[in-house]
Amino acid sequence: MTPRFDGWAEKVRTTFGRQGMMQALSAEMTDLAPGRCKIAAPFPDRMRQHHGYAHAAVTFALGDTSAGFAALTLMEEADEVLTAEMKINLLAPAAGERLIGRGRVIRPGRRLTIVTAEVWAEADGREVQVALLQGTMMPVPG
Amino acid sequence: MTPRFDGWAEKVRTTFGRQGMMQALSAEMTDLAPGRCKIAAPFPDRMRQHHGYAHAAVTFALGDTSAGFAALTLMEEADEVLTAEMKINLLAPAAGERLIGRGRVIRPGRRLTIVTAEVWAEADGREVQVALLQGTMMPVPG
Amino acid sequence: MTPRFDGWAEKVRTTFGRQGMMQALSAEMTDLAPGRCKIAAPFPDRMRQHHGYAHAAVTFALGDTSAGFAALTLMEEADEVLTAEMKINLLAPAAGERLIGRGRVIRPGRRLTIVTAEVWAEADGREVQVALLQGTMMPVPG
Amino acid sequence: MTPRFDGWAEKVRTTFGRQGMMQALSAEMTDLAPGRCKIAAPFPDRMRQHHGYAHAAVTFALGDTSAGFAALTLMEEADEVLTAEMKINLLAPAAGERLIGRGRVIRPGRRLTIVTAEVWAEADGREVQVALLQGTMMPVPG
């Protein structure tokens, strides 16, 4: 998969830096390549469910966002990215010290980009997959 | 749809009060009935995307949580609720002063409860539907 | 919801008549209105699962197709319709004499049309909902 | 991933042989391993859409069924398998001589088994991925 212009990585990182949701989660983009993006966040103190596990929406945020930025690496320079639809299967309760989203483009396209993402929880140095996502990203004028 | 014990509403409201995610969003449960739940939250200051609209994860949080508590109204007294899987279609950018999630049980069950939810954005007193969700909730020992 | 040209109903019925899948299922379009479509098929003799119930793919076919033709009622004269993505929750085993798909447009759009569908099984004159679907339809040049 | 009893492969193949839907598609199970299943079918003559491509329901059938049998390889001897929910993203029009579904278990479980599947179309000896699926399988008493 080939980006459409030089400076794609800088654009993606700049856009990530402007995203309030990622700041609210203290998330970092820890890896970026054409069609791939990895985001890590400390386990949230507040955004939990009643069980003490991360709320499904936090897990969703990491999966959806890593997938969205993976898609953005392959879009035109002027485009931003929006989620058209996303499906998440929760595989295990999310507990530990860190959550990691790994997004990946399955099929890039002018109108629709099909993406997938995995979310992993890191506890005591061990990683457990807590979610699998599959969805569609759309370019929108930036 | 008939709750399985007296005091179902009190239990649901207590569980809602313990949920850090809903507190982080300053969300309120504004309506509750057997198989139905409505949650409202002020438009988030921080948890936005790069466009200034609410992040898909915030919209997801309101839909998923209202659907989860709708399911909880029909579960056994000792049960808590977990999202097994959830699909969201984003219909329009979420902007305005308030976000409202309306969850509803389509089919209750011992093992799986099928739910749906709508998320609406309120701007200048007018409501626009911004998302539709469909998914599965599961009882887990509380 | 308003069709974009006269003759939308005739176009939809003609397209339906050319669809081999619907012929294979001996399906009939029993109702059509702007943004809505109903399709009924006799319970399939062959396309069953190992349990004797209708295969999930047959239930999917009725839901997906009724949703697709509901979307087509609102598209431009020159457009045909393709499923971009579809989610199905199976609610109950599909048994009986007849399967009925009821598709409905939630949000029409130039690029994407968000749809939902219910599938019902008719047994001894009684209807049971067997599936709920939610997805995205796309116009394509005809 | 480890099957729970000897003879799992024989059981899966027997169940496959009883499935009318797979017979209607002249499908063959071309590969089977713990947590994995591959099914191939000649491109359908009749079950097409109005464009001449395979109907989304046929693509769905191959993905859903290969995922279901992948799940069945890891279930108890007495269990059969049912689809609880399934999401399909269509990536490209399905044309060619043969359709191939590759199902895989992501997370096996007593109550729910999370699965994924790819569907590929073979044309002139070249394979193109036409769909990606993600969903949930459930054991039911056989």
Side-chain angles (χ1 to χ4, degrees):
Chain A
M1 298 184 184
T2 313
R4 300 187 186 180
F5 64 101
D6 290 341
W8 58 271
E10 194 182 350
K11 169 189 154 188
V12 171
R13 290 188 185 277
T14 302
T15 304
F16 182 82
R18 291 207 309 267
Q19 214 190 48
M21 182 72 185
M22 290 296 104
Q23 292 167 18
L25 293 172
S26 305
E28 279 179 281
M29 189 176 285
T30 56
D31 208 4
L32 187 68
R36 288 182 181 267
C37 174
K38 186 173 162 188
I39 293 172
F43 193 77
D45 276 337
R46 294 182 69 203
M47 281 175 274
R48 299 187 181 192
Q49 303 188 306
H50 36 279
H51 308 279
Y53 299 122
H55 192 281
V58 173
T59 305
F60 179 91
L62 281 160
D64 173 66
T65 306
S66 63
F69 285 111
L72 190 58
T73 65
L74 303 176
M75 291 182 178
E76 299 289 355
E77 186 158 9
D79 288 339
E80 294 296 343
V81 61
L82 273 184
T83 304
E85 57 84 24
M86 189 57 65
K87 157 78 145 49
I88 184 168
N89 283 77
L90 283 313
L91 308 179
E97 300 99 42
R98 224 162 67 116
L99 289 171
I100 296 155
R102 288 185 175 91
R104 190 161 59 91
V105 172
I106 297 293
R107 175 72 47 98
R110 283 206 166 269
R111 297 164 77 187
L112 303 177
T113 293
I114 312 307
V115 292
T116 186
E118 299 180 356
V119 185
W120 295 73
E122 216 178 74
D124 306 323
R126 212 172 65 91
E127 283 197 14
V128 177
Q129 188 180 350
V130 297
L132 180 66
L133 295 88
Q134 178 177 318
T136 306
M137 296 290 164
M138 258 191 343
V140 287
Chain B
M1 297 183 183
T2 313
R4 299 185 186 182
F5 65 100
D6 291 341
W8 58 271
E10 195 181 348
K11 169 189 152 189
V12 170
R13 290 188 183 278
T14 302
T15 304
F16 182 81
R18 291 208 308 269
Q19 213 190 49
M21 183 69 184
M22 290 297 103
Q23 291 166 19
L25 292 172
S26 304
E28 278 180 281
M29 188 176 285
T30 55
D31 207 4
L32 187 68
R36 288 180 180 269
C37 173
K38 186 172 160 188
I39 293 172
F43 193 77
D45 276 337
R46 295 182 67 204
M47 281 174 274
R48 300 186 181 192
Q49 303 189 308
H50 37 280
H51 308 279
Y53 300 123
H55 191 281
V58 173
T59 305
F60 179 91
L62 281 162
D64 173 67
T65 306
S66 63
F69 285 111
L72 189 58
T73 64
L74 303 176
M75 290 183 178
E76 299 288 354
E77 186 157 9
D79 288 338
E80 293 297 344
V81 61
L82 273 184
T83 304
E85 55 85 24
M86 188 60 63
K87 156 80 144 49
I88 185 169
N89 283 77
L90 283 311
L91 308 181
E97 300 100 43
R98 225 161 67 117
L99 289 171
I100 296 157
R102 290 185 172 90
R104 190 160 61 89
V105 172
I106 297 293
R107 177 69 48 97
R110 284 205 166 272
R111 298 163 78 186
L112 303 177
T113 293
I114 313 307
V115 293
T116 187
E118 299 178 357
V119 185
W120 294 73
E122 216 177 75
D124 305 321
R126 213 172 64 91
E127 284 197 13
V128 176
Q129 189 179 350
V130 296
L132 180 65
L133 295 88
Q134 178 177 319
T136 307
M137 297 288 164
M138 258 192 341
V140 288
Chain C
M1 298 184 182
T2 313
R4 299 184 186 183
F5 64 101
D6 290 341
W8 57 271
E10 193 181 349
K11 169 189 153 190
V12 171
R13 290 188 183 280
T14 303
T15 304
F16 182 83
R18 291 207 307 267
Q19 213 188 51
M21 183 70 184
M22 290 297 103
Q23 292 166 17
L25 293 172
S26 306
E28 278 179 281
M29 187 176 285
T30 56
D31 207 4
L32 187 68
R36 291 182 178 268
C37 173
K38 186 172 161 189
I39 293 173
F43 192 77
D45 276 336
R46 294 182 66 203
M47 283 174 272
R48 300 187 181 193
Q49 304 188 307
H50 36 281
H51 308 278
Y53 300 122
H55 191 280
V58 174
T59 305
F60 179 92
L62 281 162
D64 173 67
T65 306
S66 63
F69 284 111
L72 190 58
T73 64
L74 303 176
M75 290 183 177
E76 300 288 356
E77 186 159 8
D79 289 338
E80 293 296 343
V81 60
L82 272 184
T83 303
E85 55 85 25
M86 189 58 64
K87 156 81 144 47
I88 184 168
N89 283 78
L90 284 310
L91 308 180
E97 299 100 43
R98 224 161 67 117
L99 289 172
I100 296 157
R102 289 184 174 90
R104 190 160 60 90
V105 172
I106 298 294
R107 177 70 47 97
R110 282 206 167 272
R111 297 164 78 188
L112 303 177
T113 293
I114 314 307
V115 293
T116 186
E118 301 180 354
V119 184
W120 295 72
E122 216 177 75
D124 305 322
R126 213 173 63 92
E127 281 196 16
V128 177
Q129 188 180 350
V130 296
L132 180 66
L133 295 89
Q134 178 177 320
T136 306
M137 296 289 164
M138 258 191 343
V140 287
Chain D
M1 298 184 184
T2 315
R4 300 185 184 179
F5 65 100
D6 290 342
W8 58 270
E10 194 182 347
K11 169 188 152 189
V12 170
R13 290 188 184 278
T14 303
T15 304
F16 181 82
R18 291 208 306 269
Q19 213 189 49
M21 183 70 184
M22 290 296 104
Q23 291 167 18
L25 292 172
S26 306
E28 278 179 281
M29 187 176 285
T30 56
D31 207 3
L32 187 68
R36 288 182 181 268
C37 173
K38 187 173 160 188
I39 294 172
F43 192 78
D45 276 335
R46 293 183 68 203
M47 282 174 273
R48 301 187 180 193
Q49 306 186 305
H50 35 281
H51 308 278
Y53 299 123
H55 191 280
V58 173
T59 306
F60 180 91
L62 281 161
D64 173 68
T65 306
S66 63
F69 284 111
L72 189 59
T73 64
L74 302 175
M75 290 182 179
E76 301 287 355
E77 187 159 7
D79 288 338
E80 294 296 343
V81 61
L82 272 184
T83 304
E85 56 85 24
M86 189 59 63
K87 157 79 144 50
I88 185 168
N89 282 78
L90 284 311
L91 309 180
E97 299 98 43
R98 224 162 67 117
L99 289 171
I100 296 157
R102 290 185 172 92
R104 190 161 61 90
V105 172
I106 298 292
R107 177 70 47 95
R110 284 206 164 272
R111 297 164 78 189
L112 303 177
T113 293
I114 314 306
V115 292
T116 188
E118 299 179 355
V119 184
W120 295 72
E122 219 178 73
D124 304 323
R126 213 172 64 93
E127 282 197 15
V128 177
Q129 188 179 350
V130 296
L132 180 65
L133 295 89
Q134 177 177 318
T136 307
M137 297 287 164
M138 260 191 341
V140 287

